[in-house]
Amino acid sequence: EATVDLAERRRIRSAIRELQRQELERDEETLASKRFRPERSSHRQDDKENWPQSRRLEEEQRAALAALSEQLEAITSVEELTKLLRAAGEYEERKLIRAAIRKLRAEEIEAATLAGNVQSSR
């Protein structure tokens, strides 16, 4: 009679441990799925609603940058480009202007090097 009682207690304890283990596994799976679940936020919906407007703004910005690029090609003074750089507000504009300044400086260095080579060969 005592042995049956102890065996039953062991079965109950092992069943309880099994249930606890299964519950822990479910909790871990739930946490893992929450960790890697893609975000569901309202800004995605906002992006979809504002997409045509943002696309139009991007096109306008590209056109403005293309016009600026053509304007920068015509400028041959680093001082003028520096003034434009200080007045520019947008990152992309500043980026284009800096590239134009680097290009002009490289051309000036190349011209000076060629002039120095011509004078040294005479």
Side-chain angles (χ1 to χ4, degrees), residues 8 11 23 28 31 33-34 47 74-75 89 96 100 104 107 114:
E8 190 175 347
R11 282 195 303 268
E23 187 177 359
E28 288 174 355
L31 280 175
S33 68
K34 285 182 181 176
D47 287 350
I75 297 175
L96 281 175
L104 269 180
E107 289 173 358
L114 287 175

Side-chain angles (χ1 to χ4, degrees), residues 65 68-69 72 81 84-85 88-103:
L65 290 175
L68 176 65
S69 181
L72 294 176
L81 289 173
L84 278 175
L85 180 63
E90 295 293 319
Y91 170 77
E92 293 296 326
E93 291 175 359
R94 296 175 64 82
K95 185 176 164 184
L96 281 175
I97 296 169
R98 278 194 228 90
I101 289 172
R102 282 193 299 272
K103 182 179 174 186

Side-chain angles (χ1 to χ4, degrees), residues 3-105:
T3 311
V4 172
D5 189 45
L6 287 177
E8 190 175 347
R9 285 183 184 176
R10 283 188 199 122
R11 282 195 303 268
I12 291 171
R13 281 191 208 120
S14 67
I16 289 172
R17 279 194 294 269
E18 180 64 25
L19 289 172
Q20 288 173 340
R21 185 186 61 76
Q22 289 173 358
E23 187 177 359
L24 281 173
E25 286 177 358
R26 279 194 306 269
D27 289 346
E28 288 174 355
E29 288 173 4
T30 303
L31 280 175
S33 68
K34 285 182 181 176
R35 247 182 245 143
F36 300 109
R37 183 181 305 155
E39 259 197 54
R40 296 178 185 165
S41 60
S42 63
H43 82 283
R44 282 188 180 168
Q45 186 65 27
D46 291 343
D47 287 350
K48 287 180 182 177
E49 291 171 359
N50 296 326
W51 186 70
Q53 181 182 4
S54 66
R55 189 169 181 190
R56 182 179 48 83
L57 290 174
E58 286 177 12
E59 292 296 326
E60 289 174 2
Q61 185 179 21
R62 279 193 203 119
L65 290 175
L68 176 65
S69 181
E70 290 175 14
Q71 179 185 359
L72 294 176
E73 291 291 325
I75 297 175
T76 57
S77 168
V78 175
E79 291 79 26
E80 286 181 53
L81 289 173
T82 306
K83 287 178 188 176
L84 278 175
L85 180 63
R86 290 186 180 131
E90 295 293 319
Y91 170 77
E92 293 296 326
E93 291 175 359
R94 296 175 64 82
K95 185 176 164 184
L96 281 175
I97 296 169
R98 278 194 228 90
I101 289 172
R102 282 193 299 272
K103 182 179 174 186
L104 269 180
R105 287 187 178 154

